[in-house]
Amino acid sequence: MSVKDLFDVQGFRTGAGSPIWLKGATPAKAHAKAVSLLQRSGAYLSHKTQLDELAYSLQGSNAHYGVSRNPLDKQRLSGGSSSGAAVSVARKESDIGLATDTGGSIRVPASYCGLYGLRPTYGSVSTSGLVPLAPRFDTAGVLTRDLESLRLAILALQSEAEVEDNSSADWKDQNKAQSIDTLVWCDAIWQGVDPKLRDYAWRWYQQAECAKHSLSPPILNATERKNCFAALQAESIWSAHGDWLNQHMTAFGADIQQRLRWGQSLLAQESGRDTLAKAEQDWRLWQQHQSQWLPQGAALIMPTVPSIAPLIDDDPECQRDALLGLTSIAGLSGWPQLQCPVFIDGDLPHGLSLLGREQSDIALIEFATAFPFIGQAPHP
């Protein structure tokens, strides 16, 4: 396994993709809990992997350490922030990439690099010993080249799960009891997605030999979801790191610094506080309606990202807005999302996901094994 450089590894400093953070760090006295759980289950720790600064990007480009090129096409991005994890697994330098996903940092690079990846149920995997980005949404998960490795890794990581208001034993019992027998479709979430991927997914949805039905549009549209998630994420980042950021703001690359300053303005200006209040209101609305939208025992087939990996010179902010419109569904819900690679007509990989209700992590993986739309091509 490789370990994203947000997790503590005993004897090494944790860099969080930032030279200034690394400079102030001291060697970790113990492994992060997730690292220990995977080791205890037999995984061998091979190396740590690079990431976007403080994990606050979906691009796979770091102003200090360079662009992370996609192993399948060197003119394209790997995606981030778990860029090094995706490249390591895609290049077969590791079988399991331990990583994090706040706004899409596992799902996006897994899609771009043709990998499986799981953002687990929020709170189901320990984040002890992890440098946070936005604790309100942070999750720890993995990227792999095959579903069985993913299943084993998630079982290991959730073997001592601790969820608020639940004992770990209760959580494990509930998780084992989850099953999925229904595949659902929602037209609204396919807007702006590569038509080739939509048509491919629709054909397989129609052919699937299981219960099926369509969903109405979610209570928030893509723009509303993106705005809500981005604001609440920014607030959580400043709650976690405000004092340190105020001292080191100029140490960040221009794109990350601009994003951080926007978050700072949300807390400092009246208009920003209004934006946060609206985001909180929208999040509560989402929470009230989410369980009515996706039924128990169902998996939503959805695009992980809108397209194949973008070219390195493409506009990163335009990409980010489109990505957050999709990735925020799981983020705002706290639900697990399983990214699966699909290869259409010999093209670069597209990402197709199964989204389930809370605690359906293993059930999603087992459900995915029954569908032939999931495929894998050789990696370099």
Side-chain angles (χ1 to χ4, degrees):
M1 67 169 167
S2 61
V3 174
K4 184 177 182 177
D5 196 24
L6 284 178
F7 294 89
D8 284 347
V9 170
Q10 186 176 12
F12 293 86
R13 293 180 297 159
T14 304
S18 165
I20 195 69
W21 187 283
L22 179 65
K23 183 178 179 180
T26 57
K29 296 181 179 180
H31 289 333
K33 183 67 173 180
V35 176
S36 295
L37 288 171
L38 286 170
Q39 277 196 320
R40 191 178 71 184
S41 294
Y44 171 75
L45 174 56
S46 174
H47 53 277
K48 299 192 82 174
T49 55
Q50 195 50 267
L51 62 146
D52 296 32
E53 291 178 274
L54 207 60
Y56 199 16
S57 174
L58 298 173
Q59 189 175 9
S61 180
N62 188 304
H64 307 285
Y65 301 120
V67 173
S68 177
R69 295 179 180 270
N70 193 315
L72 304 180
D73 183 344
K74 297 296 181 63
Q75 302 306 308
R76 297 180 182 273
L77 291 166
S78 67
S81 66
S82 305
S83 52
V87 171
S88 173
V89 175
R91 290 178 56 86
K92 299 183 179 179
E93 295 167 351
S94 58
D95 301 303
I96 296 168
L98 177 62
T100 64
D101 190 308
T102 304
S105 289
I106 286 175
R107 292 164 287 167
V108 172
S111 178
Y112 289 168
C113 294
L115 302 171
Y116 295 93
L118 181 75
R119 174 195 166 92
T121 297
Y122 178 77
S124 67
V125 176
S126 174
T127 55
S128 175
L130 169 71
V131 176
L133 171 60
R136 186 170 188 169
F137 300 111
D138 291 346
T139 64
V142 294
L143 305 91
T144 64
R145 293 186 301 276
D146 64 274
L147 273 174
E148 179 59 12
S149 296
L150 184 70
R151 186 184 71 86
L152 292 173
I154 293 300
L155 283 172
L157 289 170
Q158 294 182 338
S159 63
E160 294 185 11
E162 295 180 2
V163 178
E164 187 177 359
D165 298 327
N166 265 331
S167 69
S168 60
D170 287 344
W171 192 93
K172 286 188 286 183
D173 288 344
Q174 291 171 19
N175 194 43
K176 288 178 181 177
Q178 297 293 317
S179 63
I180 293 173
D181 56 14
T182 303
L183 191 63
V184 295
W185 179 275
C186 179
D187 262 333
I189 63 173
W190 289 89
Q191 295 177 5
V193 173
D194 185 344
K196 184 187 296 186
L197 177 61
R198 188 210 183 274
D199 292 346
Y200 180 90
W202 176 246
R203 287 197 302 272
W204 280 113
Y205 170 75
Q206 290 180 304
Q207 296 171 19
E209 296 181 355
C210 65
K212 293 175 288 187
H213 65 83
S214 296
L215 300 181
S216 58
I219 194 70
L220 301 178
N221 64 33
T223 299
E224 291 168 333
R225 293 192 304 268
K226 182 264 296 183
N227 290 341
C228 175
F229 182 87
L232 297 180
Q233 180 190 37
E235 180 187 39
S236 186
I237 291 168
W238 276 92
S239 295
H241 298 297
D243 291 342
W244 186 87
L245 289 173
N246 280 322
Q247 297 175 38
H248 300 101
M249 182 71 76
T250 58
F252 287 89
D255 57 335
I256 306 296
Q257 189 176 149
Q258 181 181 26
R259 205 167 296 140
L260 288 169
R261 291 192 184 281
W262 173 73
Q264 186 180 38
S265 72
L266 294 179
L267 299 171
Q269 300 175 8
E270 184 175 353
S271 60
R273 290 190 289 273
D274 290 342
T275 298
L276 285 174
K278 176 64 164 60
E280 288 285 357
Q281 181 181 11
D282 283 347
W283 181 75
R284 287 193 297 271
L285 183 65
W286 180 271
Q287 294 277 305
Q288 291 165 8
H289 286 83
Q290 67 183 58
S291 61
Q292 302 169 28
W293 181 58
L294 183 62
Q296 287 281 8
L300 172 69
I301 186 170
M302 63 175 289
T304 306
V305 297
S307 66
I308 62 173
L311 293 166
I312 289 172
D313 294 332
D314 287 352
D315 179 9
E317 287 308 308
C318 179
Q319 298 165 27
R320 183 176 177 82
D321 287 351
L323 291 173
L324 285 179
L326 289 171
T327 62
S328 58
I329 295 175
L332 293 173
S333 304
W335 288 344
Q337 182 178 342
L338 172 65
Q339 140 63 25
C340 301
V342 295
F343 295 80
I344 306 172
D345 300 330
D347 203 349
L348 289 169
H350 288 77
L352 200 56
S353 280
L354 295 174
L355 177 79
R357 292 281 294 269
E358 64 277 4
Q359 303 163 356
S360 64
D361 308 53
I362 298 301
L364 281 176
I365 297 172
E366 293 173 347
F367 188 70
T369 62
F371 286 92
F373 60 70
I374 296 168
Q376 195 73 41
H379 285 87

